[in-house]
Each structure stands twice: as C-alpha cells, then as structure tokens.
Amino acid sequence: MATRNGTPMFDFTNRTILVTGASGGIGGATVRLLLQHGADVIAAGTSEENLAPIVAETGVRGLPFDLHSEDAVRDALAGLPLSGVVNCAGFGGEIATPQETDIKVFDEVIAVNTRGALLVTKYAAQSMIAAGRGGSIVNVSSQAALVALYGHVSYAASKAALDSITRVSALELGRHNIRVNSVNPTVVMTPMSAFYWGRDEIQGPFLEAMPLGRYATEAEIAAPIVFLLSDAASMITGVSLPIDGGYTAR
C-alpha cells in the first residue's frame, strides 16, 4: 500500500468530509466509499427527509440546508472542522435549444450547480484556513462543460462556470494548502439523466461515439473523487478530470 510519511494515502481517519447532494446516486456512492476509507462523513442535502435513506443506511451525520441561501450555507458550515468537501448537489434543468430555453430554469440550474457550489466553497474554505491544516475540495462538474451537447445549454453553462470557479479557487487557495479540482463525468444512468439519455435514439449514437462504448457507474465516479480528496493527489490542483470513457478525447 502506498504511504506518505508512513500513513496510507487513502486513509481518511480523523478527517471530516462534507458531501453535498448526498441523497443522489453519485453523492451516495461517494459517501459509502469515503466511509470505507475511514472518513467522518457529513451528508448534506435539501431536507432531512431526502437524507434519511443514506443516513439510515450508513450512519453518517445528516446536514440539511438550502443551497440557495447564503445565510443557510454559512450557518450550516460554521465551526465544522472540514478536511474536504465534495460539491455534488446538482440540478439537470431541461433539454432545450438556446432559442427555447426557459430562463427561469436556467436561473435555477445556475443557482444550484454554480452559485450553490461557490457558496459551499466560500464558507468551507474559511473554516479550512482558520484551522490551518489545508484541505481538498472536489467539484462534480460534467463532460457538458468540455464539449457541446445538444439541448444542454443551461446545464453546460452551469458546469463550465463551475470549472472556472475550480481553477480560480485552486489559484487563490493554494497558498493555504487547499487543493481544488473538478471531475467531469459522462452520463451515469441516474433518475435525473434516464429521462433523456435512456432513449434509444439518444443513447445509440452517443455510445457509438464513445471509445469505451458505455455509460459510467456511480462507483466509477466516486473513486476518482475520493482519489482527488486523498493524499495520493497531494500535488494535483486546478484540474478538470474527464471521467467519460474517452468521449471528450474525440
């Protein structure tokens, strides 16, 4: 097992990691994998009701708060001794062309995927800086931030902005030994994505264009997230990592 100063690089013992969107597929898989590596995980979501299944299954602490509200995010994160954050909360929005886009939906996609992640980064970073022990933040972005996808103008904009926030945050927070990276997954067949990507006429051409030719699993996204949180990635910051079966390499 690879070690750093005698400690396993994937040992999260005595490290508290906040995972937003923990009630979702990727968020839940990330919570489970972090627990396997000894982390103290805080599962964040929109409500106690939404978090109840993952809390009951894993025994982690649930932390409901409203990502739309800066006051709610600040109050929820105040005093938390965080070593890491996974910004996994997301809203898929709609499938629409630019000329058909519902601006109210666009605003909501930006509010959750971009503004919400920035708010969590803002207050988590303040806590990490105050503690003086550094930390790692991983933003869950999308392949839609890297290449154009039909119907994804709102979602793509929100995730491209998140990648920019990732890079700027890495630049600003590096002096505090806080690393900031993003992962950019291809489609995972969650309930949020199945309504569109599960259609034969959509998934057929899409998978034909992907070198590995299949959608990703939740576990295949969680593993790189945990890697980027870990000491194994101690020299990696400011990266947007495609987890897309080679789709964006075309």
Side-chain angles (χ1 to χ4, degrees):
M1 179 182 294
T3 63
R4 183 184 183 193
N5 298 325
T7 301
M9 288 186 174
F10 287 92
D11 183 3
F12 289 88
T13 303
N14 298 321
R15 298 190 189 185
T16 300
I17 311 293
L18 175 75
V19 180
T20 73
S23 61
I26 295 173
T30 302
V31 168
R32 296 181 192 97
L33 188 55
L34 283 166
L35 286 173
Q36 290 178 26
H37 291 287
D40 171 30
V41 181
I42 300 175
T46 56
S47 68
E48 290 184 3
E49 181 180 5
N50 285 342
L51 288 170
I54 191 69
V55 170
E57 175 195 342
T58 63
V60 299
R61 287 181 283 166
L63 183 65
F65 59 86
D66 181 6
L67 277 175
H68 297 79
S69 166
E70 182 167 5
D71 289 345
V73 175
R74 182 187 61 242
D75 293 347
L77 271 56
L80 288 181
L82 297 175
S83 298
V85 170
V86 182
N87 278 310
C88 195
F91 175 55
E94 63 179 347
I95 300 297
T97 64
Q99 66 270 28
E100 297 166 339
T101 295
D102 184 333
I103 295 301
K104 291 182 179 178
V105 174
F106 175 87
D107 289 344
E108 179 65 10
V109 173
I110 295 293
V112 175
N113 297 351
T114 311
R115 185 176 181 272
L118 177 58
L119 285 173
V120 171
T121 297
K122 175 179 179 177
Y123 290 104
Q126 289 179 9
S127 296
M128 291 176 181
I129 292 169
R133 296 189 297 270
S136 178
I137 298 170
V138 179
N139 296 318
V140 179
S141 183
S142 170
Q143 67 180 7
L146 305 176
V147 294
L149 299 175
Y150 287 109
H152 280 65
V153 64
S154 296
Y155 189 73
S158 74
K159 295 300 190 177
L162 182 59
D163 282 356
S164 292
I165 289 170
T166 297
R167 290 188 290 271
V168 174
S169 298
L171 177 66
E172 298 277 8
L173 296 173
R175 72 194 72 178
H176 302 290
N177 195 31
I178 299 171
R179 299 182 296 105
V180 189
N181 295 287
S182 69
V183 295
N184 296 63
T186 188
V187 177
V188 176
M189 200 51 68
T190 63
M192 186 174 78
S193 59
F195 81 99
Y196 178 74
W197 294 103
R199 303 175 189 173
D200 290 341
E201 71 274 17
I202 301 297
Q203 71 174 348
F206 182 80
L207 294 179
E208 287 176 6
M210 181 188 294
L212 292 187
R214 63 177 177 82
Y215 293 141
T217 68
E218 293 157 348
E220 288 172 323
I221 311 305
I225 291 171
V226 173
F227 163 71
L228 289 172
L229 289 170
S230 77
D231 288 344
S234 57
M235 196 57 183
I236 301 176
T237 194
V239 165
S240 295
L241 175 64
I243 312 171
D244 66 354
Y247 187 86
T248 57
R250 298 179 307 157

